[in-house]
Amino acid sequence: MPSEAVTKKPADGKLPLRLMLAFKNPDYERRFLTHYVDSYFRYAQISLIVGLFLISEDFLVDWFADPNIKANFYRINLVLPVYTPFVVYAFLPQAKKYWHLAMSTAIFAVGTCLFWALLAVDFDGGKGLRSWVGIMDFTYVEFYCFIILGIRFSYALIPGSLLLLSFLTMLWIGYG
């Protein structure tokens, strides 16, 4: 049987929902964020390292599949150099303080570079943005943004939306 506190409606009849998914009590919100970042921070750092391997693995798989696709090297020459400073930042002492902002910036920058590299792979005759690889990478980058990095929803909403816009823009640029 649900407790009375759970089933009781607010006095004004409105549900206590907020767009940015935050607690109304600022002290409770601050304590929750401290706990959240402290408990999730290490998982996110490991996820960033795994991301380095995944980008490298994507390059290797495509290179073995078709070594003539020179645009595949953009994953190594463009995406990894943009991604690596954010991984390094994640292990600095002050990283927790600006975690959400830094990772929001990182996922947008890296995702956009990845979409551009995949578009170049398409133009070079490989399986890139327009193929199942592009859809899979788009889905993975969005999943990374909203779930894996542990970014608060209020921070993830902007880069997640911009990533969708970036993906659609790259498709429009490449294919009208």
Side-chain angles (χ1 to χ4, degrees):
M1 178 128 214
S3 70
E4 184 179 325
V6 173
T7 58
K8 192 174 183 182
K9 291 184 180 179
D12 61 1
K14 296 179 182 176
L15 292 175
L17 299 175
R18 297 177 60 185
L19 177 63
M20 290 302 163
L21 300 176
F23 294 104
K24 286 186 177 185
N25 182 325
D27 184 52
Y28 193 72
E29 177 69 14
R30 183 191 49 74
R31 288 185 322 186
F32 173 76
L33 288 176
T34 301
H35 166 74
Y36 181 77
V37 170
D38 286 345
S39 62
Y40 205 89
F41 188 67
R42 292 288 171 213
Y43 295 113
Q45 287 175 321
I46 293 167
S47 297
L48 286 169
I49 292 170
V50 169
L52 284 173
F53 289 110
L54 289 173
I55 293 168
S56 301
E57 169 268 333
D58 279 352
F59 163 77
L60 288 173
V61 167
D62 283 355
W63 184 66
F64 283 123
D66 192 350
N68 295 325
I69 307 294
K70 300 301 180 206
N72 186 35
F73 283 94
Y74 287 133
R75 288 184 178 138
I76 301 298
N77 298 334
L78 174 69
V79 179
L80 284 182
V82 169
Y83 188 67
T84 304
F86 291 107
V87 176
V88 171
Y89 172 80
F91 289 91
L92 295 177
Q94 71 271 21
K96 278 186 184 182
K97 186 174 182 180
Y98 300 107
W99 177 254
H100 301 286
L101 181 60
M103 292 304 109
S104 297
T105 305
I107 195 64
F108 174 69
V110 172
T112 300
C113 288
L114 182 62
F115 299 153
W116 187 86
L118 289 172
L119 183 61
V121 168
D122 269 347
F123 289 155
D124 210 11
K127 291 193 182 291
L129 195 66
R130 194 170 160 176
S131 71
W132 61 271
V133 174
I135 299 298
M136 181 183 71
D137 281 7
F138 169 72
T139 304
Y140 181 75
V141 168
E142 288 284 0
F143 191 68
Y144 217 73
C145 178
F146 283 99
I147 298 171
I148 295 174
L149 286 179
I151 303 170
R152 287 176 31 200
F153 182 75
S154 58
Y155 283 91
L157 183 61
I158 294 169
S161 300
L162 290 174
L163 282 167
L164 173 62
L165 184 62
S166 175
F167 180 75
L168 294 174
T169 301
M170 295 292 173
L171 285 174
W172 182 75
I173 288 170
Y175 309 103

